[in-house]
Amino acid sequence: MIKKIDHIGIAVKSLENTLPFYTDVLGLPLLGIEVVDTQKVKVAFLSAGETKLELLEPTSEESPIAGFIAKRGEGIHHVALGVTSIEERIANMREQGIQMIDDKPRLGAGGAQIAFMHPKSAAGVLVELCEKKGDEGVK
């Protein structure tokens, strides 16, 4: 079951240069910053009501985010949908002919289990399925 839009991922060249817009100009609370070594990114989460914004700064030229920025520039990278039973959601997507980038969940920021759908299956949008422990009761 899809519960909500969990977050919107935004690719940025520099958290240091970008964060003041979100925190000072927009007044969004910074929830935290972490490095996700497996994805070669530094991530900042901001609260925007029930949805979070996830700013993604590459920590290496080999980062998928570095490649995205080089090809498309800074901007919206993905939309993450909060789900329950992510393995079942992946199987359901595949049964419906959706091309998955991730056939199995992997660890993402904040300890979430994540899996991405290929943009070719979602009208050009990179869609992330995101399951977080302790989020089961969220509607």
Side-chain angles (χ1 to χ4, degrees), residues 68-121:
F68 177 89
I69 292 171
K71 188 174 183 179
R72 296 194 176 103
E74 294 178 294
I76 294 178
H77 179 261
H78 67 272
V79 175
L81 302 174
V83 301
T84 56
S85 307
I86 191 167
E87 290 183 5
E88 290 177 29
R89 298 294 75 74
I90 293 169
N92 181 257
M93 292 299 116
R94 292 178 56 102
E95 287 168 8
Q96 295 183 64
I98 301 299
Q99 182 181 351
M100 298 296 297
I101 293 172
D102 300 299
D103 290 324
K104 295 180 181 180
R106 57 187 162 103
L107 188 61
Q113 291 293 308
I114 63 169
F116 285 93
M117 293 179 210
H118 197 285
K120 289 180 182 177
S121 292

Side-chain angles (χ1 to χ4, degrees), residues 38-75:
T38 57
Q39 295 300 305
K40 299 179 175 99
V41 292
K42 187 174 181 181
V43 179
F45 279 105
L46 299 125
S47 178
E50 291 186 20
T51 303
K52 290 184 258 344
L53 297 182
E54 177 187 48
L55 304 182
L56 302 151
E57 173 190 310
T59 58
S60 161
E61 291 298 318
E62 291 81 40
S63 166
I65 296 300
F68 177 89
I69 292 171
K71 188 174 183 179
R72 296 194 176 103
E74 294 178 294

